[in-house]
Amino acid sequence: MSLCSRIFALLRKSRTLATSTTTAVAATASATASANGMQEAVAAPGPLRTRVCIIGSGPAAHTAAVYAARAELNPVLFEGWLANDIAAGGQLTTTTDVENYPGFPEGILGAELMDRCRAQSIRFGTKILTETVTSVDFSARPFRVASDDTVVHADSVVVATGAVARRLHFAGSDAFWNRGISACAVCDGAAPIFRNKPIAVVGGGDSAMEEANFLTKYGSRVFIIHRRNAFRASKIMQSRALSNPKIQVVWDSEVVEAYSGVEGGPLAGVKVKNVVTGEVSDLQVAGLFFAIGHEPATKFLGGQLELDSDGYVVTKPGSTHTSVNGVFAAGDVQDKKYRQAITAAGSGCMAALDAEHYLQEVGAHDGKTD
């Protein structure tokens, strides 16, 4: 996780800890928050009661929170505390410049974008808990959502916990993260540091083939590094990659080191080891993209929602409805195709509207929330 992400996470955690030290301090903090238009939640001794509980902290979660709050559903949002080893705000807190989110022609830092989303949620009355959900119970109404410190009873739940890109770890992999190493070609591939320069992709599945082809638009040459002598990608995706004159495959190999041309500079190349011969060679590239899959954050659900074979939440086509009536899923936790901030935000809007319609149908929309 980047230093920036850690700093933001620590600042958020310290706010929550500070407001719960004593009753007097909590009251002062609450008054101050109200004066500033903030509605951050302090853990209560008994269960919190809400019409909508949102689990997550990325674009999907905060878009759902904004829509739910403006509909006067008084949402409670668990943003997590270093959930999946990522600061509240999700995958965007691990990126630098975000240039493909509408409304920011000059781009915006990922962490700053998520801080703005968070502030907007708070502005409309969302109660935010900087705690990680450890268990849920969707077997009875109201639904039960719990962290180690807080229990929330909710008439509806939006699961927006995202998916974490799998990363490889080797010498220099952390040092050059966001300085030449990435896990999203669509997000970062068009950056100036990659244009007309050699780029490498690690992986052997459909995602690796797709990203390699995409990167040929910008790089002078694209290397696909794969630790086996055959791809597991579909035949059609393999054909597209292998027939592209700008793509070269490095078979039976793995990256063992990343390095810079000058001290403190961006990625300049990688050391590649042949797993059959043991020979280590040098590959000069300006970019290295991991395309080895994602891990959806669904383990905490305990099997209570239908998941697909890859662990993503299954939603009904054209909606955010899950296998449990009243529980909705938005963002990358249910989307393994697009995985973009803007599509996540759109599905967060859908989830909030679906939840509102559900509550109207069950007659809970006008109920009192503690």
Side-chain angles (χ1 to χ4, degrees), residues 166 294-296 298 307-312 336:
R166 295 190 180 101
H294 289 69
E295 185 75 29
T298 54
L307 308 178
D308 69 11
S309 59
D310 295 317
Y312 289 83
K336 58 183 178 182

Side-chain angles (χ1 to χ4, degrees), residues 223-239:
F223 298 93
I224 300 178
I225 303 172
H226 187 47
R227 62 177 289 107
R228 297 180 178 84
N229 61 4
F231 291 134
R232 65 181 183 278
S234 61
K235 294 299 181 182
I236 188 170
M237 294 302 294
Q238 290 188 48
S239 177

Side-chain angles (χ1 to χ4, degrees), residues 89-335:
Q91 289 287 300
L92 283 180
T93 65
T94 69
T95 67
T96 50
D97 292 329
V98 176
E99 298 180 323
N100 57 0
Y101 198 91
F104 301 95
E106 304 303 320
I108 185 172
L109 292 175
E112 181 184 354
L113 175 59
M114 292 320 305
D115 269 2
R116 291 190 179 200
C117 290
R118 187 178 191 273
Q120 190 171 2
S121 293
I122 291 171
R123 175 195 169 195
F124 290 109
T126 302
K127 295 181 179 180
I128 296 179
L129 296 168
T130 309
E131 303 169 13
T132 300
V133 172
T134 55
S135 66
V136 296
D137 184 356
F138 298 151
S139 64
R141 270 66 170 178
F143 301 121
R144 184 181 185 275
V145 180
S147 69
D148 288 339
D149 301 317
T150 306
V151 174
V152 172
H153 289 167
D155 295 316
S156 62
V157 174
V158 174
V159 178
T161 45
V164 180
R166 295 190 180 101
R167 292 168 57 175
L168 296 174
H169 296 282
F170 47 79
S173 62
D174 291 334
F176 292 102
W177 183 253
N178 289 327
R179 293 173 51 220
I181 298 180
S182 170
C184 183
V186 175
C187 308
D188 303 325
I193 62 171
F194 303 128
R195 289 183 178 269
N196 300 312
K197 296 178 181 179
I199 303 170
V201 174
V202 178
D206 282 355
S207 293
M209 304 301 110
E210 184 176 3
E211 298 212 348
N213 272 300
F214 175 82
L215 290 169
T216 60
K217 299 177 183 179
Y218 309 105
S220 59
R221 177 168 290 277
V222 177
F223 298 93
I224 300 178
I225 303 172
H226 187 47
R227 62 177 289 107
R228 297 180 178 84
N229 61 4
F231 291 134
R232 65 181 183 278
S234 61
K235 294 299 181 182
I236 188 170
M237 294 302 294
Q238 290 188 48
S239 177
R240 289 174 182 173
L242 295 173
S243 63
N244 191 315
K246 294 181 71 174
I247 293 177
Q248 179 179 335
V249 182
V250 182
W251 298 107
D252 295 318
S253 298
E254 62 184 7
V255 178
V256 293
E257 182 182 349
Y259 63 85
S260 173
V262 294
E263 185 176 353
L267 181 73
V270 294
K271 300 288 185 181
V272 178
K273 179 182 177 180
N274 186 293
V275 297
V276 176
T277 66
E279 179 183 357
V280 177
S281 59
D282 185 72
L283 193 62
Q284 294 185 354
V285 293
L288 179 67
F289 289 82
F290 298 144
I292 54 176
H294 289 69
E295 185 75 29
T298 54
K299 291 181 180 178
F300 74 97
L301 295 171
Q304 296 185 64
L305 295 181
E306 180 185 356
L307 308 178
D308 69 11
S309 59
D310 295 317
Y312 289 83
V313 177
V314 174
T315 53
K316 297 179 181 179
S319 79
T320 62
H321 290 266
T322 70
S323 58
V324 174
N325 199 27
V327 179
F328 308 89
D332 290 5
V333 76
Q334 54 85 52
D335 171 24

